[in-house]
Coordinates of all heavy atoms in Angstrom, one line a residue:
V21 N -28.1 12.0 59.4 CA -27.2 11.5 60.5 C -26.7 12.7 61.3 O -26.2 13.6 60.7 CB -26.0 10.7 59.9 CG1 -25.0 10.3 61.0 CG2 -26.5 9.5 59.1
D22 N -26.9 12.6 62.6 CA -26.3 13.6 63.5 C -24.9 13.3 63.8 O -24.6 12.5 64.7 CB -27.2 13.7 64.7 CG -26.8 14.9 65.6 OD1 -25.9 15.7 65.2 OD2 -27.3 15.0 66.8
E23 N -24.0 14.0 63.2 CA -22.5 13.7 63.3 C -21.9 14.5 64.5 O -20.7 14.4 64.7 CB -21.8 13.9 62.0 CG -22.3 13.0 60.9 CD -21.5 13.2 59.6 OE1 -20.3 12.9 59.6 OE2 -22.1 13.6 58.6
K24 N -22.6 15.3 65.2 CA -22.1 16.1 66.3 C -20.9 17.0 65.8 O -20.0 17.2 66.6 CB -21.6 15.2 67.4 CG -22.7 14.2 67.9 CD -23.9 14.9 68.5 CE -24.8 13.9 69.1 NZ -26.1 14.5 69.6
R25 N -21.0 17.5 64.6 CA -20.0 18.4 64.1 C -20.6 19.3 63.0 O -21.7 19.0 62.5 CB -18.8 17.6 63.5 CG -19.1 16.9 62.2 CD -17.9 16.2 61.7 NE -18.3 15.5 60.4 CZ -18.1 16.0 59.2 NH1 -17.8 17.3 59.1 NH2 -18.4 15.4 58.1
K26 N -19.9 20.4 62.7 CA -20.4 21.3 61.7 C -19.8 20.8 60.4 O -18.6 20.6 60.2 CB -20.0 22.7 62.0 CG -20.7 23.4 63.1 CD -20.3 24.8 63.3 CE -21.1 25.5 64.5 NZ -20.7 26.9 64.6
K27 N -20.7 20.7 59.4 CA -20.2 20.4 58.0 C -19.5 21.5 57.4 O -19.8 22.7 57.7 CB -21.4 19.9 57.2 CG -22.0 18.5 57.7 CD -23.1 18.0 56.7 CE -23.6 16.7 57.2 NZ -24.6 16.1 56.3
E28 N -18.7 21.2 56.4 CA -17.9 22.2 55.7 C -18.8 23.1 54.9 O -19.8 22.7 54.4 CB -16.9 21.6 54.7 CG -15.8 22.5 54.2 CD -14.9 22.9 55.3 OE1 -14.3 22.1 56.0 OE2 -14.7 24.2 55.4
V29 N -18.5 24.4 54.9 CA -19.3 25.4 54.2 C -18.6 25.8 52.9 O -17.4 26.0 52.9 CB -19.5 26.7 55.1 CG1 -20.3 27.7 54.3 CG2 -20.3 26.3 56.3
L30 N -19.3 25.9 51.8 CA -18.7 26.3 50.5 C -18.4 27.7 50.5 O -19.2 28.6 50.9 CB -19.7 26.0 49.4 CG -19.2 26.1 48.0 CD1 -18.2 25.0 47.7 CD2 -20.4 26.0 47.0
P31 N -17.1 28.1 50.2 CA -16.7 29.5 50.1 C -17.6 30.3 49.2 O -18.0 29.8 48.2 CB -15.3 29.4 49.6 CG -14.8 28.0 49.9 CD -16.0 27.2 49.8
S32 N -17.9 31.5 49.6 CA -18.8 32.4 48.8 C -18.0 33.0 47.6 O -16.7 33.0 47.6 CB -19.4 33.5 49.6 OG -18.3 34.3 50.2
G33 N -18.7 33.5 46.6 CA -18.0 34.1 45.5 C -17.6 33.1 44.4 O -18.1 32.0 44.3
N34 N -16.7 33.6 43.5 CA -16.3 32.8 42.4 C -15.3 31.8 42.9 O -14.1 32.1 43.2 CB -15.7 33.7 41.3 CG -15.4 33.0 40.0 OD1 -14.9 31.9 40.0 ND2 -15.8 33.6 38.9
I35 N -15.7 30.5 42.9 CA -14.9 29.4 43.4 C -13.6 29.2 42.6 O -12.5 29.0 43.1 CB -15.6 28.1 43.5 CG1 -16.9 28.3 44.4 CG2 -14.8 27.0 44.1 CD1 -16.6 28.7 45.8
V36 N -13.8 29.3 41.2 CA -12.7 29.1 40.3 C -11.6 30.1 40.5 O -10.4 29.7 40.6 CB -13.2 29.1 38.9 CG1 -12.0 28.9 37.9 CG2 -14.2 28.0 38.6
K37 N -12.0 31.3 40.7 CA -11.0 32.4 40.9 C -10.3 32.2 42.2 O -9.1 32.4 42.3 CB -11.7 33.8 40.8 CG -12.1 34.2 39.4 CD -12.7 35.6 39.4 CE -13.0 36.0 38.0 NZ -13.6 37.4 38.0
K38 N -11.0 31.8 43.2 CA -10.4 31.6 44.6 C -9.4 30.5 44.6 O -8.4 30.6 45.2 CB -11.5 31.4 45.6 CG -12.3 32.6 45.9 CD -13.2 32.4 47.1 CE -13.9 33.7 47.5 NZ -14.7 33.6 48.7
I39 N -9.8 29.4 43.9 CA -8.8 28.3 43.8 C -7.6 28.7 43.0 O -6.5 28.3 43.4 CB -9.5 27.1 43.1 CG1 -10.6 26.6 44.0 CG2 -8.5 26.0 42.8 CD1 -11.4 25.4 43.4
Y40 N -7.8 29.5 42.0 CA -6.6 30.0 41.2 C -5.7 30.9 42.0 O -4.4 30.7 41.9 CB -7.1 30.8 40.0 CG -6.0 31.3 39.1 CD1 -5.3 30.5 38.2 CD2 -5.6 32.7 39.2 CE1 -4.3 31.0 37.4 CE2 -4.6 33.2 38.4 CZ -3.9 32.3 37.5 OH -2.9 32.8 36.7
K41 N -6.3 31.7 42.9 CA -5.5 32.6 43.7 C -4.9 31.9 44.9 O -3.7 32.1 45.3 CB -6.3 33.8 44.2 CG -6.7 34.8 43.1 CD -7.5 35.9 43.7 CE -7.9 36.9 42.7 NZ -8.7 38.1 43.2
D42 N -5.7 30.9 45.4 CA -5.2 30.2 46.6 C -5.6 28.7 46.4 O -6.7 28.3 46.7 CB -5.8 30.7 47.9 CG -5.4 30.0 49.1 OD1 -4.4 29.2 49.0 OD2 -6.0 30.1 50.2
P43 N -4.6 27.9 45.9 CA -4.9 26.4 45.7 C -5.5 25.7 46.9 O -6.2 24.7 46.8 CB -3.6 25.9 45.3 CG -2.8 27.1 44.7 CD -3.3 28.2 45.6
A44 N -5.2 26.2 48.1 CA -5.6 25.5 49.3 C -7.2 25.6 49.4 O -7.8 24.7 50.1 CB -5.0 26.2 50.6
T45 N -7.8 26.5 48.7 CA -9.3 26.6 48.7 C -9.9 25.3 48.1 O -11.0 24.9 48.5 CB -9.7 27.8 47.8 OG1 -9.1 29.0 48.3 CG2 -11.2 27.9 47.9
S46 N -9.1 24.6 47.2 CA -9.7 23.4 46.6 C -9.9 22.3 47.7 O -10.8 21.5 47.6 CB -8.7 22.9 45.6 OG -7.4 22.5 46.2
I47 N -9.1 22.3 48.8 CA -9.3 21.4 49.9 C -10.6 21.6 50.6 O -11.3 20.7 50.9 CB -8.1 21.5 50.9 CG1 -6.8 21.1 50.2 CG2 -8.3 20.5 52.1 CD1 -5.6 21.3 51.1
T48 N -10.9 22.9 50.8 CA -12.2 23.3 51.4 C -13.4 22.8 50.5 O -14.4 22.3 51.0 CB -12.3 24.8 51.7 OG1 -11.2 25.2 52.5 CG2 -13.6 25.2 52.3
V49 N -13.2 23.1 49.2 CA -14.3 22.7 48.3 C -14.5 21.2 48.3 O -15.6 20.7 48.3 CB -14.0 23.2 46.9 CG1 -15.0 22.7 45.9 CG2 -13.9 24.7 46.8
E50 N -13.4 20.4 48.3 CA -13.4 19.0 48.3 C -14.1 18.5 49.6 O -15.0 17.6 49.5 CB -12.0 18.4 48.2 CG -12.0 16.9 48.2 CD -10.6 16.3 48.2 OE1 -9.6 17.1 48.1 OE2 -10.5 15.1 48.2
K51 N -13.8 19.1 50.7 CA -14.4 18.7 52.0 C -15.9 19.0 52.0 O -16.7 18.3 52.5 CB -13.8 19.5 53.2 CG -12.4 19.0 53.5 CD -11.8 19.7 54.7 CE -10.4 19.2 55.1 NZ -9.9 20.0 56.2
Y52 N -16.3 20.1 51.3 CA -17.7 20.5 51.2 C -18.5 19.4 50.5 O -19.5 19.0 50.9 CB -17.8 21.9 50.5 CG -19.3 22.2 50.1 CD1 -20.2 22.7 51.1 CD2 -19.8 21.9 48.9 CE1 -21.5 23.0 50.8 CE2 -21.1 22.2 48.5 CZ -21.9 22.7 49.5 OH -23.2 22.9 49.2
F53 N -18.0 19.0 49.3 CA -18.7 18.0 48.5 C -18.7 16.7 49.2 O -19.6 15.9 49.1 CB -18.0 17.9 47.1 CG -18.5 19.0 46.2 CD1 -17.6 20.0 45.8 CD2 -19.8 19.1 45.7 CE1 -18.0 21.1 45.0 CE2 -20.2 20.1 44.9 CZ -19.3 21.1 44.5
S54 N -17.6 16.4 50.0 CA -17.6 15.1 50.7 C -18.7 15.1 51.8 O -19.3 14.1 52.1 CB -16.2 14.9 51.4 OG -15.2 14.7 50.4
D55 N -18.8 16.3 52.5 CA -19.8 16.4 53.5 C -21.3 16.4 53.0 O -22.2 16.1 53.7 CB -19.6 17.7 54.3 CG -18.5 17.5 55.4 OD1 -18.0 16.4 55.6 OD2 -18.1 18.5 56.0
H56 N -21.4 16.9 51.8 CA -22.8 17.1 51.2 C -23.1 16.2 50.1 O -24.1 16.4 49.4 CB -23.0 18.6 50.8 CG -22.8 19.6 51.9 ND1 -23.9 20.0 52.7 CD2 -21.8 20.2 52.4 CE1 -23.5 20.9 53.6 NE2 -22.2 21.0 53.5
F57 N -22.3 15.1 50.0 CA -22.6 14.1 49.0 C -24.0 13.6 49.2 O -24.4 13.2 50.3 CB -21.6 13.0 49.2 CG -21.8 11.7 48.4 CD1 -21.7 11.8 47.0 CD2 -22.1 10.5 48.9 CE1 -21.9 10.7 46.2 CE2 -22.3 9.4 48.2 CZ -22.2 9.5 46.8
S58 N -24.8 13.5 48.2 CA -26.3 13.3 48.3 C -26.7 12.0 49.0 O -27.7 11.9 49.6 CB -27.0 13.5 47.0 OG -26.5 12.5 46.1
L59 N -25.9 11.0 48.8 CA -26.2 9.7 49.4 C -25.4 9.4 50.6 O -25.3 8.2 51.1 CB -26.0 8.5 48.4 CG -26.9 8.5 47.1 CD1 -26.5 7.5 46.2 CD2 -28.3 8.4 47.6
R60 N -24.7 10.4 51.2 CA -23.8 10.2 52.3 C -24.6 9.6 53.5 O -24.1 8.6 54.1 CB -23.2 11.6 52.7 CG -22.4 11.5 54.0 CD -21.8 12.9 54.3 NE -21.2 12.9 55.6 CZ -19.9 12.6 55.8 NH1 -19.2 12.2 54.8 NH2 -19.4 12.6 57.0
D61 N -25.7 10.2 53.9 CA -26.4 9.7 55.1 C -26.9 8.3 54.9 O -26.9 7.5 55.8 CB -27.6 10.6 55.4 CG -27.2 12.0 55.9 OD1 -26.0 12.1 56.4 OD2 -27.9 13.0 55.8
V62 N -27.4 8.0 53.6 CA -27.9 6.6 53.3 C -26.7 5.6 53.5 O -26.9 4.6 54.2 CB -28.4 6.6 51.9 CG1 -28.8 5.1 51.6 CG2 -29.6 7.5 51.7

């Protein structure tokens, strides 16, 4: 599906450590998985 927008990019590096240092990172990770959910387009 061409959604005319850029999908969320997963932060590089150790995600667990980044979330521990900055809890707001979890929102980015959640958006990434929502955008890249395998059956999303279907």
Side-chain angles (χ1 to χ4, degrees):
V21 176
D22 184 4
E23 299 182 60
K24 306 297 182 183
R25 69 178 182 89
K26 289 184 179 180
K27 292 185 177 181
E28 195 66 53
V29 178
L30 189 67
S32 59
N34 191 313
I35 302 299
V36 176
K37 287 183 178 180
K38 287 190 174 183
I39 293 176
Y40 179 77
K41 291 181 179 180
D42 181 13
T45 305
S46 62
I47 297 176
T48 302
V49 174
E50 182 181 357
K51 288 182 178 179
Y52 170 81
F53 282 107
S54 294
D55 279 352
H56 296 272
F57 175 64
S58 60
L59 293 176
R60 177 182 172 83
D61 291 337
V62 175

